[in-house]
């Protein structure tokens, strides 16, 4: 979603942080819905853009506790998706590249799958699966998986998740590489995938908790990275439960 003017970019970036902070507060609280609309009920365009960016993560407080997606958030996300429609095949040039368009398609799929559990959306078939690490190498693949960290939530399942289950070592390598490069946001997103894989019963190839703590201590304190860390910690909690206590996946 490119913007030409720096002040406008800053305004939209600030909106993403604000919405991420409200979602993070809800996740750290009782798991209820985040207060995403402004007190007067208005939803400014930057806020709609932020809702569009966060997508399925807006429902993380509910999905991580087994609750149903809340209606008010679903209404706002549906409105945001109408205000900022994804590029279709005829408008693919609006995305930076075909790879970026594929990432957007999968992020939209995740949001659509959650909205389909409410009266405000319908599900859609998964997009074309992105190539796995055996095709593009674990470095490139891990970067793409970091871009798709919003898919690492309970209740979502598809080809991207199947690849994550099969390649936890590549996820661990990507997380370590990102830490060494001091790319902490990417490391947080890959640690989230590893925590998700652990909750799925897959063997972890890396101690995730120290990675999360290091990112918390060394990071820049952004709410969006904080949300990634909080989701990862909740997923780690799920991975410590006996298998009979884990909630089943839904496609």
């Amino acid at each position: 979603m490119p913007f030409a003017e720096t002040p406008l970019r800053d305004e939209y970036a600030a909106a993403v942080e604000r919405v991420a902070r409200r979602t993070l507060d809800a996740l750290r609280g009782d798991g209820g819905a985040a207060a995403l609309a402004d007190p007067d009920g208005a939803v400014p365009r930057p806020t709609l853009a932020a809702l569009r960016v966060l997508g399925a993560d807006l429902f993380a407080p509910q999905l991580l506790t087994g609750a149903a997606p809340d209606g008010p958030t679903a209404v706002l996300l549906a409105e945001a998706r109408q205000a900022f429609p994804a590029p279709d095949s005829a408008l693919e040039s609006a995305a930076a590249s075909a790879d970026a368009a594929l990432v957007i398609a999968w992020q939209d799929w995740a949001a659509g799958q959650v909205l389909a559990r409410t009266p405000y959306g319908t599900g859609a078939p998964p997009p074309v699966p992105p190539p796995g690490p055996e095709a593009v190498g674990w470095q490139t693949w891990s970067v793409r998986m970091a871009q798709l960290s919003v898919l690492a939530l309970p209740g979502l399942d598809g080809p991207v998740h199947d690849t994550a289950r099969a390649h936890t070592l590549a996820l661990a390598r990507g997380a370590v590489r990102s830490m060494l490069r001091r790319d902490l946001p990417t490391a947080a997103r890959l640690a989230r995938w590893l925590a998700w894989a652990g909750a799925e019963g897959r063997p972890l190839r890396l101690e995730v908790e120290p990675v999360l703590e290091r990112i918390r201590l060394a990071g820049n304190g952004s709410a969006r990275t904080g949300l990634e860390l909080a989701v990862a910690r909740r997923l780690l909690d799920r991975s410590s439960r006996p298998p009979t206590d884990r909630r089943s996946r839904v496609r």
Side-chain angles (χ1 to χ4, degrees):
M1 194 179 301
F3 302 103
E5 298 180 7
T6 298
L8 189 57
R9 285 200 303 268
D10 291 345
E11 185 179 0
Y12 278 67
V16 171
E17 278 292 289
R18 184 168 59 252
V19 172
R21 174 63 62 188
R22 292 177 181 177
T23 304
L24 179 58
D25 289 344
L27 181 57
R28 288 172 172 170
D30 59 4
L36 300 178
D38 290 342
D40 61 1
V43 186
R45 190 167 177 83
T47 300
L48 289 175
L51 296 168
R52 185 75 170 78
V53 168
L54 290 172
D57 266 350
L58 299 170
F59 301 97
Q62 292 93 54
L63 297 180
L64 287 163
T65 58
D70 68 284
T73 299
V75 170
L76 290 174
L77 181 55
E79 182 180 349
R81 284 157 63 92
Q82 289 183 341
F84 295 96
D88 57 25
S89 58
L91 298 174
E92 191 169 298
S93 60
S97 68
D99 287 344
L102 185 60
V103 168
I104 293 171
W106 274 103
Q107 292 169 342
D108 280 352
W109 173 84
Q113 291 296 106
V114 180
L115 283 177
R117 296 164 59 181
T118 76
Y120 307 104
T122 57
V128 176
E134 65 282 352
V136 297
W138 65 265
Q139 296 97 330
T140 298
W141 177 77
S142 64
V143 170
R144 179 169 294 140
M145 289 299 288
Q147 295 169 336
L148 295 174
S149 64
V150 70
L151 274 69
L153 282 171
L156 296 175
D157 202 5
V160 173
H161 301 82
D162 292 338
T163 309
R165 292 186 190 97
H167 295 287
T168 54
L169 180 57
L171 290 172
R173 286 174 172 170
V176 171
R177 178 175 181 263
S178 298
M179 292 291 288
L180 293 174
R181 293 164 62 93
R182 299 183 181 180
D183 183 357
L184 299 184
T186 295
R189 292 165 184 168
L190 291 172
R192 171 175 168 173
W193 269 117
L194 285 167
W196 175 88
E200 290 285 296
R202 305 300 299 170
L204 295 180
R205 308 302 186 98
L206 182 69
E207 291 189 47
V208 179
E209 181 63 38
V211 173
L212 299 178
E213 182 63 12
R214 174 60 180 169
I215 296 169
R216 184 187 70 82
L217 293 173
N220 61 6
S222 79
R224 197 170 181 195
T225 298
L227 182 59
E228 299 280 357
L229 296 177
V231 171
R233 290 185 187 279
R234 290 295 185 92
L235 290 168
L236 280 180
D237 290 343
R238 293 170 67 92
S239 69
S240 65
R241 299 177 191 171
T244 54
D245 289 345
R246 295 181 191 141
R247 300 181 186 276
S248 61
R249 302 187 304 272
V250 295
R251 287 189 182 269

